[in-house]
Amino acid sequence: MKNNAVLEALLRPPVEIWSAATAWSVTATAALAPWALMMPPSLGYVAAAGSGYFGGVRFKQAMRIKRYHHHLKYYKVTKIAPAKIPVAPGEFYLGEGFEWSQAHTQRKREALQPQAKRFVRPSGKELALRSLGSKAIEQAQGKGPVKPIVRAIAGIAGIDHWLNPLQPHPDLGGSPIVHGVGSMDEAPVKIRQSSRNGHMLVMGTTRVGKTRLLELFAIQDIHAGHVTIVIDPKGDADLMLRMYAECARAGRLDQFYMFHLGYPEISARYNGIGNFSRITEVATRATNALPSSGNSAAFKEFSWRFTNIVAQAQVALGRVPTYEALLKDVTGIDGLFMDYARMVFAQQARQGRLIDWEVRLASLELALQDRKTAPPVPRALADRQPEFVAMFLLIKEAKINDTVLAGLAAAFSYERSFYEKIIASLGPFLEKLTTGAVGKLISPDYYDQTDKRPIFDWMSVIRQGGVVYVGLDALSDSVVSSAVGNSMLADLVSVGGKLYKTGLDPHAPDGKIVLPTICAHFDEVNEIAGPEFVPMVNKLGGSGFRITAYTQSAFDIEAKVGDKAKAGQILDNFNHLVMLRVRSVTTAKLLTDQVPEVEVVHLTPMSGVTDTAAQGTGVDFISRNDDIWTKTKVPMIEPADVLELPQGQAFALLEGNRRFKIRIPLADARNDEFVPQSLQNVAAQMKARYRTSEQWASETDWFTENWLNSQPIADGTGMIATDLAVQDLDPDDDTQSNSAINTDTMGLITRGHG
């Protein structure tokens, strides 16, 4: 039914059904008894066909009205198997929805009128029938005996169709009107893959569907063959399962890495400061999480300078910087000072200078042991070992031009109490990052042959075309998760800068820069958004990055970066905005302030009566009924519309401020052959054993020496005991049968079958 009128008159009874019934009765009469209409049989059949077609058209129009009323009352939920999620080359699927226009604003205004209540609110009878269907399904799914009538009702209630009066009504909160006004225009909403270089911001309060939307997006990126990186501060087990299953479905299981701070025993390892383009990046990543407000700024700057010196010395000695190595050398500078000084003097000797430095060092050490011949020593070094003091004096005597050596010598000469005050914030922070099993995870020992967990870095993942899931376990320790997340982002920025300059292959014969497609999803981005996040969203689009960030509100980002201007800088670098339900009008206005005002029509009925006293005219009064149309400018989308969105629904501004209303389909993972029961059990155990600060006393990983064996994830025979991994266990080998985690299982989870 095409209606070009200003007012569509959709909130009314479907009167078309009566003309349809009349037309079909004529059809039956003309076909079966044409003589009743004084027609010959041949003409009767023609009349029956014409009236039947007319009745079908009118019935379709009536059903359109009924369906419109239904979607104003009830939510629509779509569950789609992951394998059936549309993945098309060059397109990116966001969900089911429609482009919001003035007509939808008009319909929404009409639906909110008091006289429209009967069409937009379920009646008591409708609610009773749906409640009956819901109770029948619960009884049919129970363990006890079920009556045949209950089973029959449950079977009918399970049919997903809008005409089914027994279908249970899901309670998603909000108002179904917001999406119901466009139910007649609903179609798949897609954007161009190339436009994702402009990045996308997803906002929504707690439990409204952000993670499920991330799941939908990540599935498409995995099947499209893109490098996919998901950083999840919470560590959602369902999301991890979905990514694993889709990698298996897409044949990319050997490219899958899983990194989880909450479950280090099944996690791959990652060194956040071991890969860099410039040595200064090490100090920046290691000190980013330190407080920088007020008086803390000076201590942070000193910590950065000292960490930079230590990192330069470690690299010069051929050591890979790790958090554990930094902690060791920051808290005890003496060993690094001696090692680096010996290396510098050895280099000088090879160049023909200071050839006898070892002899001179030995003589100074002997002189220090004799009070009579001891040279003058700074008071701060009076209690230090003679070997170290002798090296300090030799450095001053030799006058070697080496800034790193000079910095180490200066740090060594500080009075111990003064030095500890300066690094008061750096030391405890590094201690948090290196304690327990987590410390071994983010400070991997590259020479430990017994640890079979893979070590990954971003450049190798990108070259491999990998898929990475990162769970930061922010609920257990927000400081550690934030520090690791910040170092990961800083590392990605560094890799992005390298890709921008040289591409994947800096030695390409044709000289062309080939960029990968890197789809990065950051859930709860406010947990990890630091100084490095600004250049990431600002510049990495030119390096092949397509960033999708998820957060709850604009205040979260502002509170994290500590500056309203920086928060605005971050928000302005997202070309696409998807907003689920939020609780702040200020956050809602980020979307509503970007849409224009439109004119809506108000219909005002007016009636009146005029008495007349004229005699002989036969007219005693004159009545008048008028319909007055007025136009008013209103916002196309109001903040209240965003605040009352149901779960799993969103407004979106896409590709140049095109306005869409979206309904997110849920991934139906039931009976998924790529998620074996054994892995589902692992996820269930992960949820059950999820550690938070309230359980630290009994579950923290540093209370027992061998925590991995004392707290098995699954049953005592191994983490996965069924068909997920190929396990050829020797029954006579106790080390295999009693281990909580075997090598095959760990490799399967962390890096597919690698």
Side-chain angles (χ1 to χ4, degrees):
M1 180 180 63
K2 187 172 179 64
N3 192 343
N4 295 320
V6 178
L7 295 178
E8 297 176 290
L10 296 174
L11 298 179
R12 56 174 176 78
V15 295
E16 292 88 349
I17 196 70
W18 301 113
S19 57
T22 302
W24 283 341
S25 65
V26 172
T27 299
T29 304
L32 301 176
W35 51 265
L37 300 176
M38 296 180 289
M39 295 181 181
S42 58
L43 185 59
Y45 296 148
V46 174
S51 60
Y53 174 78
F54 177 76
V57 171
R58 297 296 284 174
F59 182 78
K60 183 180 179 181
Q61 294 172 350
M63 289 298 99
R64 184 173 182 266
I65 296 293
K66 288 291 293 183
R67 186 173 182 177
Y68 178 71
H69 295 170
H70 172 84
H71 289 305
L72 292 177
K73 299 177 184 178
Y74 303 106
Y75 305 101
K76 186 178 180 181
V77 178
T78 300
K79 293 184 178 180
I80 183 172
K84 296 182 179 179
I85 291 176
V87 180
E91 292 182 336
F92 189 66
Y93 173 71
L94 280 79
E96 301 296 315
F98 53 92
E99 188 168 359
W100 192 279
S101 65
Q102 183 273 343
H104 302 107
T105 304
Q106 180 75 51
R107 293 173 188 173
K108 186 199 66 176
R109 291 257 169 175
E110 294 174 5
L112 296 177
Q113 298 298 318
Q115 58 269 28
K117 184 178 180 180
R118 58 179 291 206
F119 302 109
V120 301
R121 293 286 186 270
S123 65
K125 184 184 296 183
E126 292 174 332
L127 293 176
L129 288 172
R130 293 181 182 272
S131 178
L132 175 64
S134 179
K135 292 179 180 177
I137 291 176
E138 291 179 2
Q139 293 181 22
Q141 294 175 348
K143 297 181 179 180
V146 181
K147 296 180 179 179
I149 182 70
V150 175
R151 193 177 301 277
I153 294 174
I156 297 173
I159 300 173
D160 185 13
H161 196 275
W162 69 272
L163 282 175
N164 184 3
L166 297 176
Q167 186 179 0
H169 178 213
D171 186 9
L172 303 179
S175 171
I177 294 175
V178 182
H179 195 82
V181 295
S183 58
M184 298 179 293
D185 312 314
E186 193 174 74
V189 178
K190 301 177 181 179
I191 61 173
R192 295 173 293 112
Q193 282 280 6
S194 58
S195 70
R196 294 180 63 196
N197 287 337
H199 313 313
M200 180 181 294
L201 178 64
V202 179
M203 308 185 79
T205 189
T206 306
R207 313 307 300 171
V208 296
K210 292 194 303 296
T211 304
R212 301 289 75 82
L213 186 62
L214 190 158
E215 198 174 274
L216 175 68
F217 291 172
I219 289 173
Q220 297 179 73
D221 290 334
I222 291 171
H223 285 278
H226 302 154
V227 177
T228 306
I229 300 170
V230 175
I231 298 181
D232 179 18
K234 298 190 302 293
D236 190 277
D238 292 332
L239 179 58
M240 184 273 292
L241 280 181
R242 181 51 39 210
M243 292 188 65
Y244 176 92
E246 297 312 314
C247 285
R249 198 187 316 277
R252 302 179 66 184
L253 201 55
D254 59 337
Q255 303 171 351
F256 178 66
Y257 292 84
M258 197 272 282
F259 177 88
H260 203 303
L261 292 178
Y263 305 95
E265 65 272 24
I266 60 172
S267 172
R269 294 176 290 169
Y270 169 77
N271 183 6
I273 59 177
N275 296 280
F276 47 84
S277 299
R278 299 179 180 177
I279 188 64
T280 53
E281 295 176 25
V282 176
T284 301
R285 299 177 200 175
T287 60
N288 260 346
L290 295 178
S292 57
S293 58
N295 295 330
S296 300
F299 291 97
K300 182 177 180 179
E301 291 299 322
F302 179 86
S303 297
W304 183 94
R305 177 178 177 274
F306 184 60
T307 305
N308 186 48
I309 292 172
V310 169
Q312 290 184 70
Q314 290 177 344
V315 173
L317 291 167
R319 303 171 185 175
V320 180
T322 65
Y323 288 111
E324 190 171 331
L326 283 181
L327 175 63
K328 176 185 175 184
D329 293 333
V330 163
T331 55
I333 190 68
D334 298 1
L336 181 66
F337 167 67
M338 288 297 294
D339 292 343
Y340 186 82
R342 290 181 180 277
M343 182 195 73
V344 172
F345 278 111
Q347 290 176 346
Q348 294 288 323
R350 287 194 294 269
Q351 296 173 4
R353 300 188 295 271
L354 304 174
I355 300 176
D356 59 342
W357 70 271
E358 290 180 303
V359 177
R360 179 57 179 161
L361 180 64
S363 65
L364 285 172
E365 186 176 351
L366 289 174
L368 289 170
Q369 296 175 359
D370 189 351
R371 293 184 177 180
K372 296 181 180 179
T373 60
V377 177
R379 186 175 63 180
L381 303 179
D383 58 343
R384 303 291 184 89
Q385 296 183 24
E387 180 186 5
F388 298 154
V389 179
M391 179 62 77
F392 177 79
L393 295 175
L394 181 60
I395 292 171
K396 291 185 65 177
E397 182 181 295
K399 297 181 179 179
I400 299 175
N401 187 19
D402 190 301
T403 56
V404 176
L405 183 60
L408 290 173
F412 173 77
S413 66
Y414 287 146
E415 188 177 349
R416 196 65 191 173
S417 60
F418 174 74
Y419 176 74
E420 288 176 351
K421 289 178 182 177
I422 292 179
I423 64 167
S425 56
L426 180 62
F429 173 69
L430 293 176
E431 191 84 28
K432 292 180 181 178
L433 295 178
T434 56
T435 300
V438 173
K440 304 297 182 184
L441 196 64
I442 60 177
S443 297
D445 186 353
Y446 293 85
Y447 306 103
D448 186 1
Q449 299 291 330
T450 62
D451 195 341
K452 303 300 182 182
R453 294 174 297 177
I455 303 174
F456 71 92
D457 62 85
W458 292 126
M459 185 56 81
S460 64
V461 168
I462 293 171
R463 293 187 184 279
Q464 183 188 0
V467 178
V468 181
Y469 170 79
V470 177
L472 295 179
D473 199 28
L475 296 177
S476 298
D477 195 331
S478 61
V479 176
V480 173
S481 69
S482 179
V484 176
N486 286 340
S487 69
M488 283 187 167
L489 294 189
D491 197 359
L492 278 173
V493 173
S494 177
V495 169
K498 192 180 299 182
L499 290 172
Y500 187 83
K501 289 183 288 186
T502 63
L504 280 175
D505 186 7
H507 307 292
D510 55 1
K512 293 183 179 180
I513 294 178
V514 179
L515 296 176
T517 300
I518 306 169
C519 300
H521 302 267
F522 304 135
D523 197 10
E524 306 290 349
V525 72
N526 53 285
E527 294 284 347
I528 56 177
E532 63 285 326
F533 193 69
V534 176
M536 171 172 276
V537 296
N538 197 6
K539 299 177 177 65
L540 286 195
S543 301
F545 278 77
R546 301 173 178 179
I547 297 171
T548 307
Y550 308 77
T551 188
Q552 295 186 4
S553 72
F555 297 115
D556 291 335
I557 298 177
E558 185 177 338
K560 181 65 178 179
V561 300
D563 191 322
K564 189 173 183 178
K566 284 186 178 179
Q569 187 181 6
I570 292 174
L571 296 173
D572 285 347
N573 277 283
F574 290 96
N575 281 272
H576 310 293
L577 174 62
V578 178
M579 187 169 291
L580 296 93
R581 186 203 304 165
V582 298
R583 292 307 308 152
S584 167
V585 174
T586 302
T587 302
K589 284 185 176 181
L590 290 176
L591 183 142
T592 58
D593 285 351
Q594 298 183 56
V595 300
E597 291 187 338
V598 294
E599 289 185 340
V600 296
V601 176
H602 295 275
L603 184 62
T604 306
M606 296 187 64
S607 61
V609 178
T610 304
D611 294 333
T612 179
Q615 299 293 326
T617 61
V619 178
D620 297 322
F621 65 92
I622 300 172
S623 63
R624 184 180 71 257
N625 292 288
D626 298 326
D627 290 332
I628 301 177
W629 289 16
T630 58
K631 292 185 177 180
T632 307
K633 275 197 170 186
V634 298
M636 181 177 286
I637 303 172
E638 298 178 294
D641 300 332
V642 182
L643 268 61
E644 63 180 10
L645 282 171
Q647 295 179 25
Q649 296 187 15
F651 284 103
L653 298 180
L654 308 172
E655 295 186 306
N657 240 27
R658 295 173 60 192
R659 300 159 292 277
F660 288 88
K661 174 67 185 59
I662 297 174
R663 184 172 52 82
I664 304 166
L666 300 177
D668 188 2
R670 294 176 296 177
N671 304 320
D672 193 340
E673 60 180 328
F674 293 99
V675 185
Q677 186 61 42
S678 55
L679 190 56
Q680 294 182 24
N681 294 337
V682 171
Q685 292 289 341
M686 288 173 67
K687 295 176 183 178
R689 278 188 52 232
Y690 197 88
R691 299 188 306 275
T692 61
S693 57
E694 287 80 8
Q695 293 102 21
W696 72 271
S698 60
E699 297 184 355
T700 189
D701 54 1
W702 51 268
F703 255 105
T704 57
E705 184 178 354
N706 193 1
W707 177 81
L708 297 184
N709 289 333
S710 65
Q711 299 283 333
I713 284 190
D715 54 23
T717 60
M719 188 179 69
I720 299 177
T722 57
D723 59 344
L724 185 59
V726 179
Q727 302 178 19
D728 297 324
L729 300 182
D730 186 355
D732 299 326
D733 190 351
D734 294 333
T735 61
Q736 288 184 330
S737 61
N738 295 328
S739 176
I741 301 172
N742 61 48
T743 304
D744 291 334
T745 296
M746 184 173 57
L748 189 65
I749 298 288
T750 57
R751 189 178 177 265
H753 296 289

